[in-house]
Amino acid sequence: MSPVDWSRAVVEALDIETGRASMPREPISPYEAANCLASALGTPNEEDRAPVVSTYAVERLIALGLLLDLGNDHRCPKLNPDQVDEIAPGRTSRRP
């Protein structure tokens, strides 16, 4: 089902707790996702230095549909850490 096919009734009928229970790990912030992606590149973000991967870059990945925001508040997105791992460079095994 594409995002266009989702009706308001379908979205409102979703069980939030079932969705949360299906995730093996807690959702992460764009800041945490940026740090994961930078580490995967082999150049981790460091304190007091310009980030290799910024939260803005992660927000662009959300806007492009490469990452899904699991939260209701666009100012504080929540991301599936497994999805972030999937797009991380250097992964040898990709899920179909």
Side-chain angles (χ1 to χ4, degrees), residues 3-76:
V4 176
D5 296 333
W6 288 77
S7 69
R8 183 175 184 93
V10 169
V11 173
E12 289 176 350
L14 293 174
D15 181 18
I16 301 293
E17 291 308 316
T18 302
R20 285 188 182 131
S22 71
M23 288 183 52
R25 299 187 286 168
E26 287 292 315
I28 61 174
S29 70
Y31 175 79
E32 293 167 301
N35 288 336
C36 290
L37 293 172
S39 292
L41 288 168
T43 53
N45 289 340
E46 296 178 13
E47 294 283 326
D48 302 325
R49 301 189 110 178
V52 174
V53 178
S54 66
T55 56
Y56 176 76
V58 173
E59 289 168 1
R60 294 301 310 145
L61 293 172
I62 295 168
L64 292 169
L66 297 171
L67 290 174
L68 178 65
D69 179 5
L70 302 174
N72 293 346
D73 186 357
H74 72 276
R75 293 172 294 174
C76 185

